[in-house]
Amino acid sequence: MGQASSGVESQIQSMDTKISQLDKELKSYRDKLKTTKNAAAKKNIQKRAMEVLKRKRMYENQRDQLAGQQFNIDQAAFGIESAKASVSTVAAMKAANTELKKTIQQDLKIDDVDELADDMAELMDEFQEINEALAQNFRKVCVCVLFYP
């Protein structure tokens, strides 16, 4: 695709060069028309200028067609690159999915997680009871100190 795009680009540049040369030729004919007084000579210059203008338009049309072709080639190349990126992304997602399943099956068993959660809940309940017991004893000690001098 890159070679095709480069080839078309070089053809476009070639057409641009030809168009530029014809523009210079047309300018010289315009200058000659301004200075020529003879009607027959003016008519001859106009005829040659019209031929040059027709060639210029032909090259411009060809250049425009080539530009359209290059655009299509570039679009196709972009589509191919996008498809390759999508394939890579899907492959990475599949690999991650497989690895995640493997890790969960080997290292994370739902029963172990449930048991751990139950143990943590029991520990938190025991901790809460300990805190409540400490708070009650502390209040009793404080009350005793306040009322018994």
Side-chain angles (χ1 to χ4, degrees):
M1 288 305 239
Q3 289 177 341
S5 181
S6 304
V8 172
E9 177 65 29
S10 66
Q11 287 178 326
I12 290 172
Q13 289 174 354
S14 173
M15 293 293 168
D16 284 337
T17 302
K18 290 177 182 178
I19 291 169
S20 177
Q21 291 170 348
L22 292 174
D23 280 336
K24 289 177 186 174
E25 194 174 336
L26 282 171
K27 185 179 182 312
S28 72
Y29 285 137
R30 256 185 254 128
D31 294 342
K32 286 180 184 177
L33 278 174
K34 291 178 186 176
T35 59
T36 304
K37 306 250 187 242
N38 185 344
K42 275 189 173 188
K43 191 170 188 174
N44 190 22
I45 293 171
Q46 285 175 339
K47 183 179 177 185
R48 284 189 275 164
M50 287 301 293
E51 290 172 3
V52 171
L53 189 59
K54 285 179 185 178
R55 277 189 302 183
K56 179 184 171 195
R57 286 185 183 150
M58 179 190 69
Y59 286 138
E60 287 173 337
N61 287 336
Q62 289 175 353
R63 181 194 59 201
D64 292 345
Q65 287 176 349
L66 288 170
Q69 290 174 4
Q70 184 178 21
F71 177 77
N72 291 338
I73 291 169
D74 292 343
Q75 283 296 100
F78 177 76
I80 290 169
E81 290 301 316
S82 294
K84 287 179 181 178
S86 295
V87 167
S88 296
T89 300
V90 169
M93 290 172 69
K94 282 182 180 179
N97 187 30
T98 303
E99 186 66 27
L100 184 59
K101 281 181 182 179
K102 180 180 167 186
T103 301
I104 287 174
Q105 288 173 353
Q106 288 178 354
D107 300 331
L108 289 175
K109 295 186 175 40
I110 192 68
D111 293 336
D112 293 344
V113 174
D114 285 340
E115 188 176 313
L116 179 64
D118 290 342
D119 288 346
M120 288 297 293
E122 283 180 32
L123 287 172
M124 293 304 292
D125 288 342
E126 287 178 20
F127 184 68
Q128 183 66 29
E129 287 177 22
I130 291 170
N131 281 336
E132 288 174 4
L134 286 174
Q136 288 176 349
N137 289 340
F138 184 68
R139 278 189 236 133
K140 289 180 183 176
V141 170
C142 289
V143 171
C144 293
V145 170
L146 289 175
F147 292 111
Y148 299 106

